[in-house]
């Protein structure tokens, strides 16, 4: 029997409605459904409660009802388990969420009949090294950012790849991004858009002081190190723009491709470029049409 | 008798040597010299002490020994008095400092014989308005920045000119710059280089989420307002990247051309473009040659 | 009696319909209307024919029915006569055309009752100097472009302002733009958006080989000179992207603010920023609301 | 016995001297040397003449004495034969040339003792399709450019990947680049710098009319098609900026990774980033030091 774990961002309007509709549709088809305990509490569906830690035992697919931000958080949590994720977009058009709330029944049918493919998205592993010891580590689906605070004007980043110095970057910081993250903050910083299934790490300086500092496309197999320095203490490391750690001068952030990947459920007929065109170019693209 | 006030950044190597040489050169020529009390203390030249507040009474010209950063701070302090400033650059090549440490004697002769011209640089006045009241105000020679902190991903800025909405900008923030500031942080954010004596306000979004958000060149006579909002509280206002004020959601920052100007002493034969070419293009330009 | 000269781009769909409606509306109000001879021929309205050369004698206002491109051409032709122009936009939203085809009657009433203001737009004068002689000259409302051809990779431009070298630019060429032209080709090349009534000349290198080459905002009172060189002969000078002249190595193009201005008729309530937001940001902006 | 074919650009100063020195050094070590017939004629070394067509039979390594441009041309010619190339840079610092003229003896020793590694650079194959037929084809080490001429303002490119529309690009054209070409024209157009051994195709619009049109990093395994259209006939296709073909409206340019690669001889201790830092950042980097 198919077992689906459902994660929902109840701050989003429509999210609860979509959740309840999906539960009903899935249960009608004989699918076992689980929701997180806090949501079970809130909705009174106590018998469906299952904490995410127990997903590896039971859950075959995760449904995420929210926006790209919600999905990012779940993806990091379940990265070690390789459980495929289907995102239901209840906010603005997203790059990660595939299903639209207006075709829930269709989405459920497709999932049950396995009429989809799995897109494997590389992730980044980040380690914060202080005085030679790893003191924090995390995994990112979008990006690892190293940035100054709002009052400080500049931080210095010395960036190396496999021990070779790439360069010294003074400015607001640097961002290391997966192809998945290339349409997020990296793009705002001037980085290129990368085809989501590529294996590559994008390195983009943020408002660099030196005008010749440009975005770089680097091998997925490389180990990147960023050593920060500044005369102030207002620097931070962020994971997917969601988790933050304060940095100190001389800290090293080591970034490499994670051994984990995010497995996204995708329909065959919608292309990445359609989303780019709709979301970035403002084009009106028919969802149902090929590319 | 010519009276010169001298301000020095003793953190810079060579600064104290240059200071003492200048004092000697000036005193030999019969110029009255003043230095700040803390420096008088440190150097034992107690009889030369004069606090900057008393400059309007006595001082005809200010010498600044330091880098562009030092000069920015002095320029803001003496803005109301229109006392001309001559910068002695003891760090990297600067845009504001005109005199080089290796020709101190020449610089002194020129100042005494008035063989220079005064470049008038516009300044910006910034007011921080909260709940309808102006709670802070400041004056900037370079720029007024409004930016997110290191952990927060995005702030929203609604920008208007003379009451007309320019647009909504989501991203790392926005920067309003004078032509003088156009070669500083604004340039790192993608803004254009402006001829320093122009009267215009440059508006540049910082890493904007919307790719169509572009730098703008706006009339010096306009009143610009930036209203910030964010779901977090990590936002700040900075003046010349040196003074900072925390911002709250719904704060309005009102920016307009100041009634004060900075008066810079400049030699005739060195052009702005020479500095641009040396500093930004890395070109080797002969200082002594016309542009 | 008010006399209006009408210029129309009949290649645009709807243009002839708009023309005929306007003629009828204007004649009903007792306005004397003229059209160009070729259009008079085509529409059978022979008695309305008047060549543009005779506009200075008779015509008080010019109506242009077309797109921004059509208006640019007319603006150059009538620049010496300072006759105000009202553009009727029959294509995509334009920056220069103020009136929309769906409110022709309203536009006519406003013109007759003088319920509008005149926006004065600076123009550029360009001279092509070869072997010390001016061999071509032209006037531009948008821009003066100097560019390589499709097969040649690079041209070199040495650019100076008032005799001072700005820099050497290798790449696809350079563009000198008015504020009006700042939303046209200059923007595609990375230039800033300038408030249309500013007096300034924008200089933007096109795909420069040197990454530090950045757009510049220069004084309207300056004389700019661009000397081109290349090992090939595929270089051209363009005026508003509409007129072209082949260039030879060592040619100098001299650009300065023209003594002529274009006088555009504008409604009070629509702001430049509304058009920017609609056209560039893809925002949905209500035409009738203050900006 | 090692056999080396030598190709030289005699337009470069020092090239002939370097050529003769290399011939002497190689012959002293018992290496069989060939030069192109025209150069044999010019230098009187008739017995060394060998046309490039006969390289596959005899030549094990090609020495190229010139700049990056010279090497690009040779690389295209010998692409099918996979003969390794060592570039001797006699112009400005290059990305492709590894050996410097001041250490010819060292370079020769290394080649003979095989103290080097081979860097395999992907190439692009371009086909020009008109009316359904391939009428031209070529191979590029750097890039395939599709661009307007100097007088025409805009061409339209509809770009697709594996049959899915990427988008419509109006502007000066588009450029498809290998990682090797990422530091050439693509960079001037705003593209990222790609690690040279990556397998990826970079797509960069040239001065796009739509501000949201951004550089893209695409899979090396994809088939890209660009269909051009314009109301004028001034469009061209270029290969490495060196070969050109006129284009007509509705032409399709099909680009994919070539089955051929360029094999570059590289020293172990010099990194790509050193060249980036020297050439683009203007940094002073010691050639002899690692990274």
């Amino acid at each position: 029997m198919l077992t689906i774990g459902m994660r929902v961002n109840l701050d989003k309007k429509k999210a609860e409605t979509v959740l309840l509709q999906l539960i009903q549709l899935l249960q009608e088809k004989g699918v076992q459904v689980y929701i997180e305990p806090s949501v079970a509490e809130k909705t009174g569906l106590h018998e469906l409660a299952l904490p995410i830690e127990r997903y590896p035992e039971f859950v075959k697919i995760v449904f995420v009802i929210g926006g790209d931000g919600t999905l990012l958080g779940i993806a990091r949590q379940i990265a070690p388990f390789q459980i495929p994720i289907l995102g239901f977009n209840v906010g603005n058009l997203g790059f990660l969420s595939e299903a639209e709330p207006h075709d829930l029944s269709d989405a459920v049918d497709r999932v049950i009949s396995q009429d989809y493919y799995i897109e494997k998205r590389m992730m980044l592993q980040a380690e914060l090294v202080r005085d030679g010891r790893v003191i924090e580590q995390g995994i990112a689906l979008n990006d690892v950012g190293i940035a100054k605070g709002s009052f400080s004007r500049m931080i210095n980043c010395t960036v190396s790849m496999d021990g070779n110095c790439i360069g010294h970057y003074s400015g607001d910081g640097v961002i290391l991004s997966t192809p998945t993250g290339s349409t997020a903050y990296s793009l705002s910083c001037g980085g290129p858009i990368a085809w989501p299934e590529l294996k590559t790490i994008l390195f983009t300086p943020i408002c660099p002081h030196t005008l010749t500092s440009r975005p770089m496309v680097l091998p997925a197999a490389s180990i990147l190190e960023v050593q920060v320095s500044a005369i102030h203490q207002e620097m931070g490391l962020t994971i997917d723009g969601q988790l933050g750690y304060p940095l100190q001068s001389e800290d090293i952030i080591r970034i490499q491709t994670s051994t984990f990947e995010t497995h996204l459920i995708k329909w065959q007929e919608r292309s990445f470029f359609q989303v780019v065109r709709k979301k970035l170019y403002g084009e009106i693209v028919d969802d149902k049409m090929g590319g």
Side-chain angles (χ1 to χ4, degrees), chain A:
Chain A
M1 190 181 67
L2 182 58
T3 307
I4 291 179
M6 305 187 69
R7 308 289 296 180
V8 63
N9 177 356
L10 289 179
D11 295 343
K12 299 268 176 185
K13 252 190 328 189
K14 293 198 293 183
E16 187 169 349
T17 312
V18 169
L19 173 74
L20 297 176
Q21 286 176 328
L22 279 173
I23 291 172
Q24 190 182 347
L25 284 164
L26 289 165
Q27 288 179 334
E28 284 170 12
K29 304 277 182 176
V31 177
Q32 171 67 50
V33 174
Y34 289 116
I35 56 179
E36 52 208 299
S38 65
V39 173
E41 191 74 31
K42 206 163 177 182
T43 54
L45 302 166
H46 305 285
E47 70 286 5
L48 304 184
L50 187 78
I52 202 163
E53 296 72 31
R54 304 195 56 198
Y55 274 26
E57 291 168 66
F58 300 103
V59 165
K60 294 285 168 285
I61 291 176
V62 178
F63 278 12
V64 177
I65 303 156
D68 277 3
T70 314
L71 198 149
L72 282 173
I74 309 297
R76 288 195 306 274
Q77 281 183 284
I78 65 166
F81 313 132
Q82 303 212 340
I83 308 171
I85 301 173
L86 175 62
F88 288 80
N89 176 39
V90 292
N92 297 321
L93 174 66
F95 277 101
L96 298 173
S97 304
E98 188 70 4
E100 299 291 337
H102 53 76
D103 54 7
L104 297 180
S105 168
D106 181 56
V108 164
D109 289 347
R110 281 169 160 232
V111 167
I112 288 167
S113 58
Q114 298 188 18
D115 174 20
Y116 57 79
Y117 74 107
I118 298 287
E119 208 169 87
K120 293 180 185 173
R121 300 288 184 94
M122 65 171 275
M123 304 181 86
L124 292 176
Q125 175 192 320
E127 292 167 318
L128 171 50
V129 184
R130 183 170 298 160
D131 300 328
R133 288 177 42 241
V134 174
I135 59 165
E136 294 280 0
Q137 55 185 4
I139 186 169
L141 175 52
N142 262 358
D143 48 40
V144 179
I146 292 148
K148 70 165 192 72
S150 53
F151 294 139
S152 47
R153 183 149 276 189
M154 199 182 283
I155 63 172
N156 302 302
C157 296
T158 297
V159 185
S160 68
M161 181 178 112
D162 299 333
N164 290 307
C165 175
I166 296 182
H168 307 282
Y169 298 87
S170 297
D172 285 5
V174 298
I175 185 154
L176 285 302
S177 166
T178 62
T180 297
S182 72
T183 49
Y185 185 49
S186 173
L187 190 63
S188 299
C189 300
I193 295 170
W195 176 249
E197 291 174 274
L198 277 184
K199 305 300 176 216
T200 188
I201 303 177
L202 304 178
F203 159 67
T204 301
I206 308 172
C207 298
H209 188 69
T210 310
L211 300 179
T212 45
S213 303
R214 290 286 288 268
M216 287 195 182
V217 186
L218 301 173
S222 57
I223 298 178
L224 296 161
E225 290 194 339
V226 180
Q227 181 155 31
V228 295
S229 73
I231 49 169
H232 55 82
Q233 293 296 334
E234 234 196 322
M235 294 183 280
L237 167 68
T238 53
I239 301 288
D240 288 344
Q242 296 182 334
L243 307 176
Y245 310 91
L247 293 175
Q248 293 180 9
S249 217
E250 310 314 320
D251 278 357
I252 291 171
I253 300 92
R254 188 182 300 134
I255 294 125
Q256 54 195 306
T257 299
S258 170
T259 52
F260 303 132
E261 287 179 320
T262 293
H263 290 202
L264 292 181
I265 289 180
K266 290 280 177 178
W267 309 145
Q268 301 289 349
E269 72 279 11
R270 175 145 76 168
S271 84
F272 170 67
F273 299 121
Q274 279 181 307
V275 186
V276 169
R277 286 186 349 253
K278 277 178 88 163
K279 210 169 156 68
L280 302 185
Y281 304 178
E283 231 177 76
I284 292 146
V285 177
D286 184 344
D287 271 344
K288 292 294 175 200
M289 288 181 57

